[in-house]
Amino acid sequence: MPSTLLSRQQAKLIAVTEFWDWQLHARCRTTGSATFFAPDGETAGPRIRRENAAKKICGDCPVRPHCLAHALNTPEPHGVWGGMTERERAGTKNPTTARPAPLAS
């Protein structure tokens, strides 16, 4: 395989890895998605409790800024990301397009 092709493939892999690497450090990594995403037919009371539980997990998460930036830049239409619900993110008038600083190794 030509070295230029290999280096292009490596560059793509590195770019993808850097884009998602923050998730490896997330507090929610071992938590089920049901805490962060609404089940069909969820009513107001259970939704509020679920969202509060998710926000508590996000509260001191070391990658919260990365998670929120991802949700705002993508944009993620559902769930709690970076401590914000989909309704709260939708109300954000000027989502940042800046990437958070790289994580320390």
Side-chain angles (χ1 to χ4, degrees):
M1 182 178 296
S3 62
T4 57
L5 181 57
L6 182 58
S7 59
R8 284 185 200 149
Q9 289 174 338
Q10 288 173 330
K12 287 180 184 177
L13 180 59
I14 290 168
V16 169
T17 302
E18 288 177 358
F19 183 75
W20 292 108
D21 191 49
W22 60 268
Q23 291 185 354
L24 298 174
H25 307 284
R27 285 191 64 214
C28 65
R29 185 155 190 236
T30 59
T31 305
S33 62
T35 303
F36 298 90
F37 297 93
D40 290 338
E42 183 178 53
T43 59
R47 184 193 79 234
I48 291 167
R49 286 188 290 279
R50 179 187 52 77
E51 289 175 348
N52 286 339
K55 288 178 176 187
K56 187 174 181 179
I57 293 168
C58 297
D60 62 348
C61 180
V63 298
R64 183 178 178 180
H66 293 268
C67 184
L68 183 56
H70 166 78
L72 292 172
N73 292 330
T74 301
E76 286 289 346
H78 304 287
V80 175
W81 290 80
M84 290 182 76
T85 67
E86 57 267 23
R87 290 175 315 287
E88 292 166 340
R89 291 191 310 274
T92 303
K93 301 224 185 289
N94 296 314
T96 181
T97 55
R99 293 183 55 113
L103 294 174
S105 297

